[in-house]
Amino acid sequence: MSAKREIGFRERALEAVGWEKLRHFTEKKDVPVHGSMVFYYLGGMALFLFLIQAATGILLLLYYRPSASEAYESVQYIMAEVPFGWLIRSIHSWGANIFVGVVILHFLSAFFEKAYRPPRQFTWLSGTALLFLAFAFGFSGYLLPWNTLSYFATKVGTDVPAQIPGIGPLLSRILRGGSDVTGATLSRFYGVHVAILPATATLLLGIHLYLVQLHGMSVPPAVERAGPPRRMKFFPDFLLRDMVGWLTAVALLAVLCVFFPWELGRKADPFAPAPAGIRPEWYFLSMFQALKYLPATIAGIPGELFGIVGFGVIGLVVLLVPFLDGRAVEGRSSPWWNRIGVLLLLAALALTVLALLPQPGAGAS
């Protein structure tokens, strides 16, 4: 009798969660097979790394204190006193950088494979918004350890919006919570990093995944023109291959954390001079370097303003490319968009390398 009750409960539970529908969905779901399908794995790896960031971030929250007087000491305590605290923090810090890198690669593969063609315009919009959110996660999380590097890099970063005429100074004050980077800035960035951005990212991620399931994975136009590609079962064939990428990410994180644990540096001193050669995170270096090359004024207008407007225009064009690339919409090749993409990518790489080179006078304090 007890065995019958147990089976009955199990069946009711499976029915309640829609197990049969899920099983039918996974049995039916498949993935196109072609020469560029390796890029499909980047999406799964980005999702896996996002989950790692969420898990390690929650663990760090248990001990972190978001105030100018306690933030640095609480991170120090996590690294020195909490069992495996140094490892959790290293995974979170290295994982953030790898996550942004994988999201950028996922974005680039989608762009060059024209994954934004109908009916996937909104998949592209949600994915691009997630890329911008990844940058926002990096920018807001950078200040939280409250060390010298993060303090002065945030000071430089929050100075940039102030160059916009009219609303610029107000934007800068909203970001900082005042006229300078203080404990109010730290509290503000903490709230954005642990509440606003995760909630927004989870919502957008849900929409993005739903749209991917609805429309299926995109196939490059050249493959599409050659005829319907061969298909592979998502479960278990594609999922097992996807998991190889996840395990590779875990192995890379383990190597980085063990051999190059993330350092804390020195506590921020707002009254100390900014150290020479201060730089933002690597994914902001190209914009940082481009702003440095601009003259102080162009036709009487601040040079940095031209840079900020330029970055804004590029971001807007990238966001709206599904509605601007008419040839791709019609299923034809659009080489000019590829050339523009390659040109921007090479410029970003060149500026990043230039920013990493030793700067004249950087050794002087």
Side-chain angles (χ1 to χ4, degrees):
M1 289 295 289
S2 62
K4 281 183 180 177
R5 279 199 299 275
E6 187 180 339
I7 291 170
F9 173 78
R10 180 171 169 271
E11 287 173 344
R12 284 197 298 275
L14 291 176
E15 187 183 2
V17 299
W19 175 253
E20 275 306 311
K21 288 181 182 174
L22 183 63
R23 193 172 64 82
H24 180 68
F25 172 76
T26 53
E27 281 178 356
K28 208 176 153 188
K29 184 172 172 57
D30 54 20
V31 176
V33 179
H34 52 83
S36 304
M37 72 168 293
V38 66
F39 297 117
Y40 289 158
Y41 301 116
L42 290 171
M45 192 181 287
L47 176 61
F48 177 70
L49 288 166
F50 177 77
L51 295 176
I52 287 181
Q53 289 307 103
T56 52
I58 290 170
L59 291 174
L60 292 173
L61 276 181
L62 299 176
Y63 296 95
Y64 180 75
R65 295 178 185 278
S67 72
S69 60
E70 295 180 296
Y72 182 87
E73 285 75 10
S74 65
V75 178
Q76 221 172 21
Y77 178 79
I78 290 170
M79 295 176 68
E81 302 295 334
V82 177
F84 299 106
W86 67 272
L87 181 61
I88 300 296
R89 179 172 182 260
S90 275
I91 291 174
H92 195 72
S93 301
W94 278 117
N97 285 274
I98 298 173
F99 170 67
V100 173
V102 170
V103 172
I104 291 173
L105 290 176
H106 184 45
F107 165 80
L108 290 174
S109 68
F111 176 82
F112 287 112
E113 290 191 349
K114 313 292 179 191
Y116 47 77
R117 293 175 300 141
R120 298 180 177 82
Q121 300 97 319
F122 287 97
T123 313
W124 171 266
L125 291 177
S126 58
T128 307
L130 284 168
L131 171 69
F132 294 154
L133 279 183
F135 291 149
F137 266 115
F139 184 66
S140 58
Y142 200 51
L143 179 65
L144 300 191
W146 199 250
N147 58 26
T148 302
L149 186 61
S150 67
Y151 175 83
F152 286 103
T154 304
K155 203 166 181 176
V156 172
T158 50
D159 261 339
V160 173
Q163 305 304 318
I164 302 171
I167 61 167
L170 177 64
L171 281 177
S172 185
R173 285 185 69 85
I174 290 172
L175 273 174
R176 290 176 168 179
S179 58
D180 209 344
V181 176
T182 62
T185 318
L186 180 65
S187 302
R188 199 157 287 210
F189 276 42
Y190 173 76
V192 169
H193 191 75
V194 306
I196 297 173
L197 289 178
T200 312
T202 303
L203 176 65
L204 273 174
L205 191 59
I207 294 171
H208 189 69
L209 292 175
Y210 166 73
L211 291 171
V212 170
Q213 300 309 317
L214 182 67
H215 300 303
M217 293 192 176
S218 169
V219 176
V223 176
E224 204 170 70
R225 285 194 291 270
R230 186 163 64 85
R231 314 289 296 187
M232 174 195 288
K233 285 283 183 192
F234 178 84
F235 183 83
D237 299 341
F238 183 82
L239 184 60
L240 286 174
R241 287 168 171 78
D242 217 5
M243 289 174 70
V244 173
W246 304 352
L247 293 174
T248 304
V250 170
L252 178 61
L253 273 175
V255 168
L256 289 171
C257 293
V258 170
F259 292 103
F260 307 98
W262 201 267
E263 299 290 340
L264 179 57
R266 301 179 64 178
K267 185 176 180 177
D269 180 1
F271 300 105
I278 198 84
R279 288 189 295 237
E281 288 283 61
W282 62 270
Y283 36 89
F284 293 125
L285 283 178
S286 57
M287 290 186 280
F288 172 73
Q289 193 68 13
L291 290 176
K292 282 175 66 177
Y293 286 139
L294 289 170
T297 58
I298 301 173
I301 300 171
E304 283 192 351
L305 179 59
F306 276 92
I308 295 166
V309 171
F311 299 144
V313 170
I314 291 172
L316 190 62
V317 170
V318 164
L319 187 68
L320 299 178
V321 71
F323 311 102
L324 300 174
D325 187 358
R327 290 177 64 89
V329 169
E330 295 169 1
R332 295 185 292 163
S333 62
S334 51
W336 275 106
W337 280 98
N338 285 352
R339 288 169 192 150
I340 291 170
V342 169
L343 188 66
L344 288 175
L345 180 61
L346 290 177
L349 289 173
L351 287 167
T352 301
V353 171
L354 287 170
L356 290 171
L357 293 176
Q359 304 296 310
S365 58

